[in-house]
Amino acid sequence: MAPKQEFKTTAMFKQLMSQYYAQGVEARRKNIPVAWVTAVFPVEILYAAEVFPYYPENFGALAAARKIAHDLSELAEAKGYFYDLCGYARCGIGDAYAQEHPVGEIERPDIIFCCNTQCGSLPKWFEAASRFYNAPYFLLDAPLIEDAWEEQVKKYFIKQLEEMIDFLEQSTGKAFDYNRLVRVLDLSNEACRLWNEILDTAALKPAPFGFFDACFHMAPIVTWRGTEEAVTYYRALKEELDERIKKGIYAIPNERYKIYWDHIPVWPRLRWFADLFAEHGALVVVSQYTHSWAYNFDPSNPLESLADNYLKSFVNRSFDKRIDLKINFMKKYNVDGFVLFSNRSCKPNAFGLYDKSNVIKNVTGLPGVVFEADMSDLRFFSEEQVRSKIEVFVEQLKER
Amino acid sequence: MTANALVKQFYDVVNNPGNAPREWQKQQGGRVIGWLKTDVPEELIHAAGFLPYGIVGGKTKFSRVDAHLQSWACSLMRSCLGIALNDELNFLDGLIIPHTCDTTRMVSGIWRQIHLLPYMENFFLPRQVDRASSKMFMLAELMRLKESLEVYSGSAITEENLRNSIALYNENRGLMRLLFAMHEKTPGLISCRDLYTVVRASMMMPKETHSHLLEQLLQALRIQNNVYQGRDKVRVIISGPVWEPPELMDIIDSKGTVVGDDLLTGFRYIASDVNTEEEPLAALAERQLNRIPFACFDSTQNPRRQFLVNLVRQKQAKGVIFLHLKFCEPENYDYYDHKLALEKAGIPSTRIETEVGGVSVEQMRTRIEAFFEMLGGI
Ligand code: SF4
Ligand code: SF4
């Protein structure tokens, strides 16, 4: 297979991300509080409060992608944190106790924010961290949302956003600036819009961009969302993709099948999976994971629209609703089959996948497969088992 | 009846899980609403005219569960699903699932797929308990649950009904606390396994009947009180979600005794009453926020650490045994902190990894016995 042509924006990406990490150091020098936040969190409020948001999950993904997750995990395990916990948490906790930091040291927090829309692992990890680092902790609690009790949950969430702003004013000693929040929301909207346009190019056949590319390029939409930097970056990436489409440069040569993937990639095996599919002319084109950042805020109604967007993240929806969302993606991207990753680290995404897979097969008639592994820890990865499962699945694709 | 004969009746309820609710259905013609552990306000279910039934897992075949819930989910939820898949819960008309962790949150969807019941509800508890918004949400959620039960029953839950149910539950808890107090003073009077079986039975049968039996048991034990010894047994505290497998209690009984716990199927279940002076829903909300701390709804300072240290001192226990279910994330995240707090206070502790439903206790036996030996018991 011809080597993949690097994106020009990759250089820009590297520069942007190192600038992001440098900001953490810079923040300390300038006395700007470093705040830990979770990926699905109304970070717009923190940017508006001029606090530096740091993403420990991102650290976990980085450690996983560099294949050192289990080294860090063992340090956490030595303290009594078991390897049944989320891999990101084990990396973060392990690094706190580590002497050596092969992927850089996890940033020490001055304050800790957490939203449990995603899972119940993050709040427990961050709670422990708040005691370890002696940093005040704020949990934004997001009960599962369904139409029948949407109003009640939304009211609760908005009330907490107000409490959070009070908490921020106390921690920073500065009055919260709502005008700045409106500007941040505009920037966030713009970056999300661009990001989704980029993701949508994967629906073209053949596509210039797929899920594994998105996993690489998503760091700025997580970390820089709400700033000019994110907008500039995704504008450049979008332009580059348009150019590629014109020139006929595609994600894989001879794309024959499009695949839906749920949910996170197996970070240390990202490339391995991409190649395995490419061998058969299959391209993974869509996943709820990379589509998490599809926010659309109404800046004239900031708190309510933050509540709407963050509460309704797919992981926080009911079983049936989540199936509908998956099927909608499958239709929109016109996929030929689906792969569901039962990620040992991530109970809220993995539990229920077997039943979901059956329902999806019945409704769509598409072939699908569920495989077991861990997103970061290769101790739970059986290459032979996964390969043979995927190969059986690919055979089903070919038979259709 | 002798104490032994009475205790046997509680075992009968626990060992034949469907019998008590089926019997009640036959006599009363009412509907049974199950609840998964923990913290579901049974008083509301009872006030709506239903029989609340606690599903706390147990021995089951796991092979059928594997197709629905991964083997790395906690065995508590896996065994509950297993029991349902085995048709052992076919007396249920409804089910309420509290969202305590990611596992229960996902099980609520899976359960609908495999065992759809006429009435299915979730119960959401605020995960933060330090701020004003948590009280607001707790009250709104109790209101929602009340309305949902009313819709299903077809009639309103009157304040009077709710007050009566609260009184009934308070009374039952009070009686169980008396039994705990008696056991603490004279541990030889009734074994730990017997004691905790009484608690477990109370989740699985009508409270009215349970209280009636329990009063007789207390009376019988009062008469035997002076005969029994056991004051010199090595005293320990146990901490965790549930005391499973039950044989574990026999091991503890053979080496010492439990004088305090924070278990969902132990003292935590009966520790907090509902204030009868207040408006009932507000009182239920307040009770929830005042319960013994638990990994799923801690305040951020992890008050459970201090709770355990205090409990050890207050009960003059010699150490703490953590009974942690394998794969239970919430408990595991807090464990290091708990251990550290106990170490700082000079209190020995050990952690036993447990599982619900048909596992061998031999490994646990060695660990527990070694711990007691270390404490200077035998
Ligand atoms: S991988 Fe899953 S469990 Fe881990 S932090 Fe993300 S959402 Fe939570
Ligand atoms: S809190 Fe622990 S024991 Fe309880 S359901 Fe969740 S994982 Fe299982």
Side-chain angles (χ1 to χ4, degrees), chain A residues 58-109:
Chain A
N58 201 252
F59 176 86
L62 194 68
R66 301 267 176 84
K67 304 180 173 53
I68 58 151
H70 67 274
D71 297 328
L72 290 174
S73 176
E74 275 167 11
L75 295 169
E77 286 162 38
K79 297 284 170 194
Y81 295 94
F82 287 79
Y83 65 28
D84 310 317
L85 300 175
C86 166
Y88 291 165
R90 285 180 278 124
C91 285
I93 294 169
D95 192 68
Y97 295 108
Q99 304 294 331
E100 286 166 43
H101 308 278
V103 288
E105 197 167 350
I106 196 163
E107 200 61 64
R108 289 180 73 85

Side-chain angles (χ1 to χ4, degrees), chain B residues 165-200:
Chain B
S165 302
I166 288 175
L168 176 77
Y169 274 72
N170 278 352
E171 183 204 31
N172 186 254
R173 284 184 284 256
L175 291 170
M176 282 194 273
R177 288 196 300 267
L178 275 180
L179 187 65
F180 268 77
M182 227 183 237
H183 171 259
E184 190 201 325
K185 233 174 97 201
T186 327
L189 200 55
I190 175 175
S191 74
C192 296
R193 177 148 182 198
D194 294 351
L195 174 69
Y196 284 88
T197 298
V198 170
V199 179
R200 189 163 167 174

Side-chain angles (χ1 to χ4, degrees), chain B residues 46-323:
Chain B
H46 184 269
F50 304 126
L51 175 69
Y53 178 84
I55 306 162
V56 286
K59 284 204 170 54
T60 187
K61 282 189 283 217
F62 285 108
S63 49
R64 293 180 67 184
V65 182
D66 292 338
H68 304 281
L69 186 60
Q70 283 84 337
S71 59
W72 37 274
C74 75
S75 51
L76 180 58
M77 281 307 124
R78 276 170 54 81
S79 76
C80 288
L81 272 184
I83 291 168
L85 284 167
N86 247 355
D87 264 349
E88 288 166 51
L89 292 174
N90 51 17
F91 54 86
L92 288 186
D93 297 288
L95 178 68
I96 301 177
I97 300 184
H99 289 220
T100 57
C101 59
D102 290 332
T103 309
T104 46
R105 176 182 174 185
M106 300 321 293
V107 160
S108 77
I110 299 173
W111 204 293
R112 271 170 208 270
Q113 291 296 310
I114 62 170
H115 200 252
L116 190 65
L117 293 165
Y119 177 78
M120 297 202 83
E121 257 303 349
N122 301 288
F123 183 51
F124 301 104
L125 289 128
R127 304 289 172 85
Q128 48 93 15
V129 293
D130 297 331
R131 304 193 304 264
S133 56
S134 65
K135 295 188 185 67
M136 175 194 110
F137 181 74
M138 190 69 257
L139 199 58
E141 179 59 7
L142 285 165
M143 213 104 85
R144 186 184 73 82
L145 191 63
K146 175 170 171 276
E147 277 165 22
S148 147
L149 285 161
E150 288 172 340
V151 170
Y152 181 56
S153 80
S155 60
I157 297 177
T158 63
E159 181 165 337
E160 196 195 339
N161 282 349
L162 187 50
R163 282 191 187 281
N164 288 340
S165 302
I166 288 175
L168 176 77
Y169 274 72
N170 278 352
E171 183 204 31
N172 186 254
R173 284 184 284 256
L175 291 170
M176 282 194 273
R177 288 196 300 267
L178 275 180
L179 187 65
F180 268 77
M182 227 183 237
H183 171 259
E184 190 201 325
K185 233 174 97 201
T186 327
L189 200 55
I190 175 175
S191 74
C192 296
R193 177 148 182 198
D194 294 351
L195 174 69
Y196 284 88
T197 298
V198 170
V199 179
R200 189 163 167 174
S202 80
M203 301 173 165
M204 303 165 74
M205 66 194 286
K207 286 283 190 271
E208 295 86 343
T209 331
H210 189 268
S211 287
H212 184 66
L213 270 177
L214 184 49
E215 270 171 342
Q216 296 177 53
L217 175 63
L218 286 166
Q219 195 48 38
L221 289 174
R222 274 187 205 109
I223 294 166
Q224 296 172 10
N225 203 357
N226 43 11
V227 186
Y228 284 91
Q229 299 296 320
R231 286 165 214 250
D232 52 350
K233 280 179 176 254
V234 178
R235 299 154 71 90
V236 296
I237 300 294
I238 53 179
S239 168
V242 291
W243 53 281
E244 290 281 348
E247 295 75 22
L248 205 132
M249 277 298 182
D250 298 334
I251 305 173
I252 296 180
D253 273 321
S254 73
K255 294 284 161 188
T257 191
V258 175
V259 287
D261 76 81
D262 59 10
L263 304 189
L264 307 179
T265 49
F267 199 73
R268 189 177 178 278
Y269 179 65
I270 57 168
S272 329
D273 277 341
V274 184
N275 188 336
T276 51
E277 312 275 293
E278 281 179 49
E279 193 281 314
L281 278 191
L284 283 172
E286 195 185 295
R287 183 268 310 262
Q288 179 55 36
L289 298 172
N290 288 338
R291 282 188 199 263
I292 291 177
F294 155 55
C296 300
F297 324 107
D298 268 355
S299 97
T300 55
Q301 288 312 310
N302 188 359
R304 190 153 159 220
R305 296 180 286 183
Q306 201 49 47
F307 171 83
L308 285 171
V309 170
N310 293 346
L311 193 63
V312 169
R313 292 192 173 137
Q314 190 196 330
K315 305 282 181 190
Q316 291 162 6
K318 283 197 156 175
V320 176
I321 303 178
F322 290 101
L323 303 177

Side-chain angles (χ1 to χ4, degrees), chain B residues 22-33:
Chain B
R22 283 199 186 94
E23 180 76 6
W24 181 87
Q25 260 167 339
K26 222 169 33 202
Q27 281 172 9
Q28 314 270 328
R31 288 175 273 183
V32 181
I33 307 282

Side-chain angles (χ1 to χ4, degrees), chain A residues 57 86-89 118-122 125 263-264 315 343 345-349 375, chain B residues 102 329 333:
Chain A
E57 286 161 83
C86 166
Y88 291 165
Q118 284 163 267
C119 66
S121 235
L122 286 162
W125 165 21
H263 131 273
I264 294 184
V315 260
N343 178 0
S345 269
C346 191
K347 296 181 167 74
N349 281 300
M375 67 184 178
Chain B
D102 290 332
E329 279 200 318
Y333 275 111

